[in-house]
Amino acid sequence: MKIIINSSSMLPLYEQIIDQIKAQITAGCLKENDILPSVRTLAKELKISALTVKKAYDNLEQEGLTVTVHGKGTYVAAANPEQIREARRREVENELESAVEKGRGCGLTDEEIRELFELIMED
């Protein structure tokens, strides 16, 4: 499992960890019952606080993406196909929102953005 922390990002470190683990689960890189690195191991690897990693792992567990077995570790939870589909959909939605914001920031009208989207969809 590879996680890259961007210390200059406005996104908190624990959210960066969450997003990257979610992305690896939805992409199928991490599968059901795969074990995640221990909190201490990942913290040491990323050179960040163990509390930050713990917060990320706790959030992933609350979302139902991981399961923690005390004394054994944190594992990827059983895959719920609908949950994975919804996560992928949210990912696409977020990227589309970013593209629209970027287009508007460049002075494009909504109609011009729609035209670009239609052109892209034709390919």
Side-chain angles (χ1 to χ4, degrees), residues 32-88:
E32 180 180 346
N33 295 324
D34 282 353
I35 189 164
L36 300 181
S38 72
V39 169
R40 287 186 183 144
T41 299
L42 188 57
K44 188 175 182 180
E45 210 174 276
L46 299 175
K47 297 179 174 83
I48 61 173
S49 166
L51 293 174
T52 302
V53 175
K54 175 84 170 104
K55 185 172 185 176
Y57 278 18
D58 287 348
N59 276 279
L60 288 164
E61 188 163 12
Q62 286 175 353
E63 290 185 39
L65 295 171
T66 62
V67 175
T68 300
V69 179
H70 293 287
K72 295 202 177 199
T74 300
Y75 298 84
V76 176
N80 175 344
E82 189 55 39
Q83 186 178 20
I84 290 173
R85 182 170 164 31
E86 183 58 31
R88 287 180 177 155

Side-chain angles (χ1 to χ4, degrees), residues 9-25:
S9 172
M10 296 298 289
L11 198 62
L13 298 177
Y14 78 95
E15 286 185 23
Q16 291 181 46
I17 295 168
I18 291 168
D19 290 348
Q20 290 181 53
I21 292 174
K22 278 184 186 178
Q24 290 181 42
I25 291 171

